[in-house]
Amino acid sequence: MAVTTELLKRFPMLSGLSDSSLDQLALQANLKSVSRRAVVVNGGSASENLCFLFEGRLQGVDFTLDGREVGLYFIEPGDFCGELGLFDGEGQPESVIALAKSQIILIPAAAFRSAVLTNQQLVEGLFTRMSARVRKLSAQRALLGLSSTIARVCGQLWMMLQEQDNINRREGVILNPPTHQELGIMLNLSRETVTRVFQTLQSESIVKRDGTTRLLILDETALRALFETGDG
């Protein structure tokens, strides 16, 4: 399906490009629908495209030596993935899968690389994004080192809360929270273990589900304390 310049402008990373640069990218880009659990980026393989998420949700995943899946990060609409192979041709070390039916825009790496080489703002945005990803992965690795299961779950929720925009942050809301299964994958815990932790947090009025799209953090102080002290 054809991609328009107006559609590309919706992505923060691309919004600062000139109309001529966006026209060139739009001519070579492709809008594609992918089903749940589809592999969007195949880890360890060089990719010819960058993937921009227009609708749905993606997750970066890796696998332990014994074959267990470990979730690393989420990709929300407006974000992108597959950038590590832009210049070295090595591809992403981790895979990216669709957590729900999604619409993605594929931009050829060669075309995006040309745009990067002629646009300072795009370079800065790309480096800022990579720095944020490294910091996030380091924090995720630290979470996995916690022996307390409740500390891991609370730490993950606390990190997600910090990532919300300022309005939602003040409200103490995590939008589109991951399922217990998805949290378990990220934290190397079973779904049943995550469910038991949530039952405890709900019984102590620390969190509350508001449908499937909002998780209310009722007591941020208690949530952070459980994360930092590792009680439970």
Side-chain angles (χ1 to χ4, degrees), residues 29-60:
N30 182 41
L31 181 63
K32 179 180 179 182
S33 294
V34 294
S35 59
R36 182 179 181 275
R37 299 298 298 179
V39 177
V40 175
V41 175
N42 195 356
S45 300
S47 175
E48 297 179 352
N49 301 291
L50 266 75
C51 170
F52 287 75
L53 179 60
F54 176 58
E55 187 177 275
R57 198 180 209 192
L58 310 177
Q59 185 179 33

Side-chain angles (χ1 to χ4, degrees), residues 151-220:
R152 284 194 214 177
V153 174
C154 289
Q156 189 71 68
L157 296 179
W158 179 256
M159 287 170 54
M160 296 181 71
L161 185 62
Q162 304 307 302
E163 293 167 6
Q164 300 294 301
D165 61 48
N166 290 333
I167 294 176
N168 293 318
R169 177 68 183 85
R170 288 196 297 270
E171 293 179 349
V173 176
I174 296 175
L175 296 175
N176 301 312
T179 65
H180 293 183
Q181 178 68 30
E182 291 165 359
L183 277 172
I185 290 173
M186 296 185 75
L187 298 170
N188 198 21
L189 300 171
S190 69
R191 179 184 61 81
E192 292 78 11
T193 298
V194 174
T195 296
R196 286 195 296 270
V197 171
F198 265 83
Q199 289 172 344
T200 298
L201 297 178
Q202 289 168 341
S203 67
E204 296 181 2
S205 298
I206 296 175
V207 304
K208 179 182 179 181
R209 285 274 184 183
D210 183 12
T212 59
T213 61
R214 286 159 53 98
L215 178 67
L216 308 182
I217 308 300
L218 305 177
D219 191 338
E220 294 185 28

Side-chain angles (χ1 to χ4, degrees), residues 19-157:
D19 287 343
S20 60
S21 294
L22 287 172
D23 286 339
Q24 290 297 317
L25 292 179
L27 286 172
Q28 301 179 68
N30 182 41
L31 181 63
K32 179 180 179 182
S33 294
V34 294
S35 59
R36 182 179 181 275
R37 299 298 298 179
V39 177
V40 175
V41 175
N42 195 356
S45 300
S47 175
E48 297 179 352
N49 301 291
L50 266 75
C51 170
F52 287 75
L53 179 60
F54 176 58
E55 187 177 275
R57 198 180 209 192
L58 310 177
Q59 185 179 33
V61 298
D62 207 344
F63 296 88
T64 62
L65 292 177
D66 57 2
R68 288 176 295 165
E69 186 177 298
V70 178
L72 302 175
Y73 53 83
F74 292 111
I75 299 168
E76 307 292 350
D79 204 352
F80 66 97
C81 58
E83 71 277 11
L84 286 187
L86 269 179
F87 297 100
D88 65 6
E90 296 291 331
Q92 296 282 140
E94 74 278 3
S95 296
V96 177
I97 62 172
L99 293 179
K101 185 177 180 180
S102 304
Q103 285 192 309
I104 60 176
I105 295 175
L106 299 176
I107 297 179
F112 191 83
R113 185 163 53 246
S114 295
V116 168
L117 294 176
T118 58
N119 189 284
Q120 181 65 29
Q121 182 180 344
L122 195 57
V123 172
E124 292 177 359
L126 192 60
F127 285 169
T128 299
R129 157 60 185 272
M130 287 182 174
S131 297
R133 177 63 56 77
V134 170
R135 293 179 190 279
K136 190 171 183 178
L137 290 176
S138 296
Q140 194 69 34
R141 182 177 180 181
L143 274 185
L144 293 176
L146 297 176
S147 59
S148 166
T149 56
I150 195 168
R152 284 194 214 177
V153 174
C154 289
Q156 189 71 68
L157 296 179

